[in-house]
Amino acid sequence: MKALLAFRSLFLSQAKGFTLALLLSLVTLAAGIALLGTSGWFITSAALTTAGLAFNLFVPSSLVRGFSFIRILARYGERLSGHDATLRLLSGLRGWLFARLFPRLPLADRSLRHGDLVSRLTSDVDALDTAFLVAIGPIAAALVIGAALTAVLAWLLPGAAWLYGFCFGAAVLVVPSGLTLLSRAAGNAVVRRAADARAAVLDGIEGHDDLTVFGVLGTAQAGFATTSQHLAAARGRLSTLTALAGFAVQALAALALAGSLWLGLTAFAAGAVEGPVLAGLLLAMAGSFEATSTIVRSVGKLTTAMAAAERLTTIAEAPPAVLDPAVPAPVPADTTIVLADVTFGYGGPPVLDSLDLTVTPGEHIAITGPSGSGKSSLLTLLLRLADPQAGRITLGGTALPALLQADIHARVALLSQHSPLFNDTIRANLCVARDADDDALWAALADAGIADFVRALPAGLDTMVGEGGRTVSVGQARRLCLARVLLSSAQILLLDEPTAALDRPAEVAFFETLHQAAQGRTVIVVTHATIPDGTVNRVLTLRNGMLA
């Protein structure tokens, strides 16, 4: 529950919507109880009356219809306001989470699997946003309704008030609390096993080719089947506990009704209560327990929401991989890059070992080498997304840890093989780098060698590129990303496998375009490709953690 309370400010931001949903929920429950009570009184009175046509049928029947319409309209309004507030809360939760994650990327905890991270960003947030709608709201509404009906019983049937109050209170507070305590482990297991299943699916999809080539596809399938069985078992345990709690609530409801009937008949025999009133009260009590059954079904979701909240706060409060200095140094005008005796690894053997490199302003260099040699790790260090375990990296003579990360990223831009195109217009995709007028956008497109293509499009800069740039070719997408990098004011451009998935003619054309477009800027390219002559000043090879 402590982890769930960490999100109270986000819940409070939607207090108006949730309060309206709670009030309408109270109206719905009250109308349902009044409908049953009035119906019971009306039918019993009609059966016992001897007045015939003199009996007033109009008012009770009008009340029955009125309570029915009130219940329908209140239920609709409750759903409308509650789901609207929940969807707004969902947006706030995602915004909060991504705002917390961005300063922490890449995550220091490298044991966190990709699939598990995806699960936290999707299903855990979805589990959290229903906490009020399915649990907190119904409990609050039931407490108010139970207290009100207990007060009515204390007035009309005092003997049954204490019994009903005890049974209803136990059904609303004791049973859900016990279920919450007993089901915490099961709820945690459901969330954890569901994350494992999602991770296994993502791993299987992304690594399908490798699993097939090495002949272990069957092993992966068997592992996923085992994970699914564990998930089913965890959900089964949670369902069993929920069913037992539901049985306890029904037993309390039966005890309240049977005891109240016995006490009511005693009062009726003594002339303390009329028969129609007794029938109406008993039906009202039966209707009030509708709220308790909803609570029991919701507690299972509350336990998973609590587990989800713990998982979200774990990554949202994780220490950043790198920290800004308390007193940052001014940004140097010089853009000379020096790596001196740099050693870096991920907990095992070093990827970069005593590496030395100097890149002068405006120089274009290419770094080649086999996969796993540390080329991308080198760019990670230059962006200060991580710090080396030994050695020193300076920009213009100033050590990178002495500079603000924002200042470094304003001077250094990255174009990777995974640089995305967003599901938006070409203009919006370019303006990710900086806000610019049309002249600047067309200049960047021309430098990237794709201006003619964009001009030929019916909507020009306002053309939608689709999710992941699906409406353009791989080469065109890469040039649009290059235009975005060129539009930035960064004086140092880092490119990580920028020609991946391009054929050789497109590859050569890309390097030639880059050579011309980035004149005056420092360019460091890491690639497996063969560098065309005359497009860079130096070609270095990274092998065994060292440059040659």
Side-chain angles (χ1 to χ4, degrees):
M1 185 61 73
K2 181 180 178 181
L4 197 58
L5 291 176
F7 297 90
R8 60 184 177 274
S9 61
L10 292 172
F11 281 91
L12 290 175
S13 67
Q14 302 301 324
K16 291 182 179 179
F18 285 131
T19 301
L20 179 59
L22 176 60
L23 292 175
L24 290 173
S25 176
L26 286 171
V27 172
T28 302
L29 288 173
I33 293 171
L35 174 62
L36 283 174
T38 302
S39 299
W41 173 85
F42 178 33
I43 295 172
T44 307
S45 295
L48 295 177
T49 186
T50 59
L53 295 176
F55 182 74
N56 187 351
L57 297 172
F58 179 76
V59 173
S61 61
S62 298
L63 288 175
V64 169
R65 291 190 177 185
F67 287 136
S68 298
F69 281 115
I70 291 173
R71 187 173 186 273
I72 292 171
L73 293 175
R75 176 69 73 186
Y76 176 78
E78 174 204 351
R79 301 287 180 176
L80 184 63
S81 59
H83 283 83
D84 177 71
T86 299
L87 290 174
R88 294 179 186 276
L89 174 64
L90 177 61
S91 176
L93 285 170
R94 296 199 186 283
W96 172 88
L97 181 58
F98 279 88
R100 293 295 189 91
L101 280 181
F102 282 150
R104 291 168 170 78
L105 296 176
L107 294 175
D109 183 8
R110 295 186 176 273
S111 64
L112 186 64
R113 298 170 65 188
H114 174 65
D116 190 22
L117 180 59
V118 170
S119 181
R120 298 189 192 209
L121 297 179
T122 54
S123 61
D124 285 355
V125 174
D126 291 339
L128 191 60
D129 76 344
T130 60
F132 179 89
L133 199 61
V134 302
I136 300 174
I139 290 175
L143 287 174
V144 173
I145 289 298
L149 188 54
T150 300
V152 172
L153 286 171
W155 173 40
L156 297 176
L157 192 62
W162 66 269
L163 177 62
Y164 170 80
F166 171 79
C167 292
F168 193 85
V172 174
L173 297 176
V174 178
V175 174
S177 298
L179 177 60
T180 300
L181 293 175
L182 294 175
S183 62
R184 279 299 304 275
N188 287 332
V190 167
V191 173
R192 187 175 64 255
R193 297 300 186 186
D196 290 341
R198 291 185 182 91
V201 170
L202 287 175
D203 291 345
I205 292 173
E206 293 178 353
H208 181 268
D209 293 344
D210 291 336
L211 294 174
T212 302
V213 168
F214 289 102
V216 292
L217 190 59
T219 303
Q221 291 173 337
F224 177 72
T226 302
T227 302
S228 299
Q229 291 172 358
H230 290 160
L231 174 59
R235 286 177 171 167
R237 288 192 295 271
L238 185 59
S239 298
T240 299
L241 291 172
T242 303
L244 291 174
F247 172 77
V249 167
Q250 295 302 321
L252 288 168
L255 175 61
L257 288 173
S260 297
L261 176 61
W262 180 74
L263 293 171
L265 290 175
T266 302
F268 174 74
V273 65
E274 296 180 357
V277 173
L278 176 60
L281 290 176
L282 290 173
L283 286 176
M285 282 188 278
S288 67
F289 276 92
E290 174 190 351
T292 62
S293 60
T294 302
I295 293 172
V296 169
R297 293 194 300 268
S298 302
V299 166
K301 295 183 179 181
L302 181 61
T303 56
T304 57
M306 293 165 62
E310 292 174 356
R311 285 162 51 84
L312 290 176
T313 53
T314 297
I315 61 173
E317 297 176 358
V322 294
L323 295 172
D324 279 330
V327 182
V331 181
D334 184 15
T335 58
T336 301
I337 299 171
V338 177
L339 289 84
D341 201 28
V342 169
T343 298
F344 177 72
Y346 298 98
V351 177
L352 304 176
D353 189 7
S354 302
L355 184 143
D356 294 307
L357 174 66
T358 299
V359 184
T360 58
E363 186 177 13
H364 292 194
I365 70 170
I367 300 176
T368 64
S371 297
S373 60
K375 301 187 300 298
S376 296
S377 298
L378 176 58
L379 299 187
T380 297
L381 295 178
L382 293 176
L383 288 164
R384 208 190 167 225
L385 299 178
D387 288 328
Q389 281 83 43
R392 176 182 171 88
I393 304 175
T394 62
L395 176 64
T398 302
L400 290 188
L403 299 171
L404 290 175
Q405 294 177 69
D407 290 339
I408 296 173
H409 298 160
R411 303 295 296 276
V412 185
L414 173 68
L415 172 61
S416 76
Q417 60 179 314
H418 303 299
S419 292
L421 285 176
F422 301 99
N423 188 17
D424 209 327
T425 63
I426 293 176
R427 183 195 306 277
N429 273 277
L430 294 178
C431 288
V432 169
R434 67 178 176 91
D435 290 330
D437 57 24
D438 284 6
D439 291 340
L441 298 180
W442 285 115
L445 291 170
D447 289 342
I450 197 172
D452 292 340
F453 168 75
V454 176
R455 282 195 178 92
L457 297 172
L461 290 171
D462 295 315
T463 301
M464 297 290 294
V465 297
E467 187 72 33
R470 292 177 181 174
T471 62
V472 297
S473 69
V474 175
Q476 291 163 344
R478 203 60 50 82
R479 287 181 179 271
L480 287 173
C481 291
L482 175 61
R484 181 166 61 202
V485 171
L486 295 174
L487 185 64
S488 73
S489 58
Q491 292 300 304
I492 301 170
L493 306 183
L494 309 180
L495 294 90
D496 186 3
E497 301 289 357
T499 59
L502 298 183
D503 57 25
R504 183 56 182 171
E507 190 174 73
V508 171
F510 183 90
F511 280 116
E512 291 175 346
T513 299
L514 175 64
H515 175 67
Q516 294 297 325
Q519 289 295 320
R521 304 197 202 194
T522 303
V523 175
I524 301 176
V525 182
V526 300
T527 181
H528 286 97
T530 302
I531 306 298
D533 293 338
T535 56
V536 296
N537 302 111
R538 285 188 288 164
V539 178
L540 306 175
T541 300
L542 184 59
R543 196 182 304 275
N544 298 325
M546 303 184 69
L547 285 171

